Amino acid sequence: MAASSNSSLSGSSVSSDAEEYQPPIWKSYLYQLQQEAPRPKRIVCPGEVENRPKYYGREFHGIISREKADELLGGVEGAYILRESQRQPGCYTLALRFGNQTLNYRLFYDGKHFVGEKRFESIHDLVTDGLITLYIETKASEYISKMTTNPIYEHIGYATLLREKVSRRLSRSKNESRKASVTNEEHTAVEKISSLVRRAALTHNDNHFNYEKTHNFKVHTFRGPHWCEYCANFMWGLIAQGVRCSDCGLNVHKQCSKHVPNDCQPDLKRIKKVYCCDLTTLVKAHNTQRPMVVDICIREIEARGLKSEGLYRVSGFTEHIEDVKMAFDRDGEKADISASIYPDINIITGALKLYFRDLPIPVITYDTYSKFIEAAKISNADERLEAVHEVLMLLPPAHYETLRYLMIHLKKVTMNEKDNFMNAENLGIVFGPTLMRPPEDSTLTTLHDMRYQKLIVQILIENEDVLF
Ligand SMILES: [Zn+2]
Ligand SMILES: [Zn+2]
């Protein structure tokens, strides 16, 4: 049904703008093969079989020989039975006719049926999927092995649409299709296009910051026919046909996922939270240079807190800090953290520190952690600064930018030391363990590294102007 999804795209719902956006041409060859694949034919046992496991049906024939199984299958493509092993009672085998021979698979059950990685609700589904896979991999092995060599992926970005136009058109086409109460298949097509068009639009959006982000692929079972957004080929099989990125929704074959560049553009709808979200993922999702929590909190602190005694050292009420966190998770950049709601500035500094502590990968990443600690141990001050500078360059761009921005802010805090009594060393004590954590969480390492963590932050603040 490749044709039908194409026609629904270039046809009625989006026709007026069709010349601006060329939808990729989905390749239907593998879809046709899936349609041609032999269907399962269950050969039932005429009599009752003793010791039949309750999760098998009448396709179970008990302990019979291979030869007997062969005979029962009668040379019919797709015919299958289950039997118990003669040599190893308690072990079960699926005997299946394919390619004019009988294939035997050791069959497992743990609540679901499986012979390999994929797990199925029923034997019928397992055999259906098995036949599709066997058929496609036999008929098209060479085609499949070359699938990734000519991707459509790079061409998707060539559309010259502005994001507004795209979203207007998408909402229109979606509404229209709802009005027309289209079939599920057409719905799928509309959804598929939206992720591609979104990508195309974002590629051409001047405001987006060019940070690299890897996709977050997870094995996925697609309902209805789906095409790979990397190679444009059909994703065959009954379940677990491919992988989907949980951050941006990109759908590709498992084998294609290894070739997709690190250009994930997370979809705000898929990013549920602000706190505890990977830093790069968050900035890509919000299309900002830094996590917006950092910008908003720092703006608030600089507006009314720079002279506050013990700024960042004094802690605010935990409950109120949790409130701010919830407000950011719920309202995003619209979160209200003004003095009218949180008059105590220590709530805001607490919320900012909590944001850094909650990051799954700290601002100073696990990868660079030990290099920073090593740099801190250098006794010659000039060499130490040089070493710190070198390691800074290894940080992911979004982490680097966040750190740079924070250090400029902390420098301002120290410039108000006579009022707030916070110097770079005090701030180092506060921010050291907040910004950097050892990859292996051992109390001993943490204790041992503490003074170097403090020193690193102190160096970053004091030398902010030359380091960044
Ligand atoms: Zn992605
Ligand atoms: Zn693919």
Side-chain angles (χ1 to χ4, degrees):
M1 237 145 288
S4 92
S5 49
N6 272 336
S7 64
S8 77
L9 302 175
S10 53
S12 58
S13 57
V14 293
S15 59
S16 55
D17 299 290
E19 67 286 357
E20 291 172 10
Y21 175 69
Q22 296 296 320
I25 306 304
W26 303 112
K27 298 172 185 167
S28 59
Y29 176 53
L30 297 177
Y31 181 78
Q32 283 158 11
L33 285 184
Q34 171 158 324
Q35 297 302 98
E36 285 169 17
R39 299 277 177 257
K41 287 170 200 73
R42 176 179 180 238
I43 309 291
V44 298
C45 188
E48 272 305 316
V49 181
E50 266 179 63
N51 302 328
R52 169 161 64 94
K54 59 182 184 313
Y55 42 84
Y56 294 143
R58 298 202 44 204
E59 68 279 5
F60 182 73
H61 291 250
I63 299 183
I64 55 169
S65 66
R66 275 178 180 244
E67 294 70 28
K68 177 67 181 165
D70 238 1
E71 196 184 312
L72 287 165
L73 293 168
V76 179
E77 285 288 286
Y80 72 95
I81 60 157
L82 306 186
R83 61 184 176 84
E84 191 168 351
S85 166
Q86 271 181 321
R87 270 170 292 169
Q88 288 171 279
C91 290
Y92 302 98
T93 301
L94 164 71
L96 170 67
R97 286 298 293 184
F98 178 81
N100 292 319
Q101 49 183 329
T102 302
L103 307 173
N104 290 283
Y105 296 95
R106 174 86 183 271
L107 190 59
F108 300 90
Y109 181 79
D110 66 352
K112 291 199 173 167
H113 302 279
F114 59 100
V115 298
E117 269 180 25
K118 292 186 182 184
R119 279 146 199 269
F120 300 86
E121 296 294 339
S122 71
I123 294 291
H124 182 268
D125 283 357
L126 182 148
V127 177
T128 308
D129 185 83
L131 287 166
I132 291 169
T133 307
L134 285 166
Y135 190 75
I136 288 185
E137 287 176 0
T138 312
K139 286 260 176 178
S141 65
E142 205 180 329
Y143 182 88
I144 290 170
S145 69
K146 288 182 182 154
M147 241 169 23
T148 54
T149 56
N150 186 22
I152 56 151
Y153 192 73
E154 295 306 318
H155 305 289
I156 294 170
Y158 290 170
T160 53
L161 284 173
L162 296 171
R163 185 204 281 225
E164 289 76 10
K165 267 190 182 171
V166 173
S167 47
R168 212 188 318 132
R169 175 145 51 102
L170 279 173
S171 59
R172 197 175 63 217
S173 64
K174 274 193 170 170
N175 290 341
E176 277 172 13
S177 33
R178 239 176 244 127
K179 252 185 271 163
S181 71
V182 288
T183 64
N184 282 342
E185 237 163 70
E186 282 174 301
H187 250 304
T188 313
V190 170
E191 270 166 30
K192 180 161 47 200
I193 269 305
S194 53
S195 85
L196 287 178
V197 173
R198 199 171 50 76
R199 218 184 85 82
L202 284 168
T203 310
H204 289 267
N205 184 343
D206 296 336
N207 294 331
H208 93 275
F209 298 97
N210 209 16
Y211 299 140
E212 278 204 348
K213 182 196 168 314
T214 50
H215 293 273
N216 187 8
F217 288 123
K218 306 244 162 70
V219 174
H220 191 80
T221 290
F222 297 94
R223 311 268 168 238
H226 266 74
W227 273 258
C228 173
E229 293 171 52
Y230 182 76
C231 73
N233 278 293
F234 180 66
M235 298 206 272
W236 66 93
L238 208 60
I239 65 160
Q241 302 94 331
V243 293
R244 165 173 285 179
C245 172
S246 7
D247 295 341
C248 72
L250 187 75
N251 303 316
V252 294
H253 289 113
K254 195 174 174 186
Q255 69 183 97
C256 290
S257 68
K258 297 176 184 73
H259 300 271
V260 176
N262 295 333
D263 61 352
C264 180
Q265 295 284 356
D267 184 351
L268 257 186
K269 287 196 296 291
R270 291 174 185 273
I271 307 297
K272 299 276 178 288
K273 290 192 166 180
V274 168
Y275 277 64
C276 306
C277 173
D278 171 68
L279 194 151
T280 306
T281 304
L282 189 77
V283 300
K284 297 286 274 188
H286 286 261
N287 197 23
T288 53
Q289 204 173 354
R290 293 170 296 272
M292 47 77 174
V293 183
V294 175
D295 284 57
I296 295 173
C297 288
I298 287 181
R299 205 182 307 139
E300 195 67 23
I301 294 161
E302 293 191 352
R304 60 181 166 105
L306 284 178
K307 294 188 190 309
S308 174
E309 188 178 332
L311 189 70
Y312 285 111
R313 188 177 49 75
V314 176
S315 36
F317 278 120
T318 313
E319 281 162 42
H320 293 170
I321 293 172
E322 284 293 322
D323 257 12
V324 174
K325 169 181 172 170
M326 270 161 56
F328 276 120
D329 280 343
R330 189 185 56 232
D331 307 330
E333 63 258 53
K334 293 190 188 72
D336 186 357
I337 59 163
S338 61
S340 57
I341 303 184
Y342 303 105
D344 181 6
I345 195 65
N346 301 315
I347 305 295
I348 311 303
T349 56
L352 181 60
K353 286 189 287 179
L354 182 63
Y355 171 74
F356 290 128
R357 272 203 307 277
D358 273 358
L359 283 174
I361 301 170
V363 176
I364 289 178
T365 58
Y366 294 125
D367 287 352
T368 56
Y369 179 86
S370 59
K371 295 193 181 76
F372 273 105
I373 296 292
E374 288 316 307
K377 288 177 180 169
I378 298 172
S379 49
N380 179 295
D382 287 342
E383 283 174 26
R384 189 171 56 203
L385 198 60
E386 193 54 47
V388 170
H389 182 256
E390 258 172 51
V391 196
L392 275 177
M393 295 300 130
L394 303 175
L395 287 174
H399 286 244
Y400 176 88
E401 170 56 26
T402 304
L403 193 61
R404 185 188 71 84
Y405 192 73
L406 178 67
M407 292 309 146
I408 294 173
H409 164 67
L410 294 181
K411 183 69 163 267
K412 281 183 204 161
V413 173
T414 64
M415 279 157 23
N416 289 275
E417 190 190 345
K418 67 174 171 33
D419 296 301
N420 62 32
F421 301 104
M422 296 301 285
N423 59 27
E425 196 180 349
N426 305 144
L427 289 168
I429 295 169
V430 173
F431 276 95
T434 306
L435 297 177
M436 54 198 300
R437 300 193 290 272
E440 286 101 38
D441 208 2
S442 107
T443 325
L444 203 66
T445 327
T446 314
L447 273 176
H448 185 251
D449 288 355
M450 208 116 88
R451 64 194 180 106
Y452 299 113
Q453 296 175 349
K454 185 208 81 179
L455 186 58
I456 286 294
V457 176
Q458 188 183 338
I459 292 170
L460 292 177
I461 298 172
E462 284 169 348
N463 303 282
E464 155 272 315
D465 50 341
V466 291
L467 280 173
F468 293 96

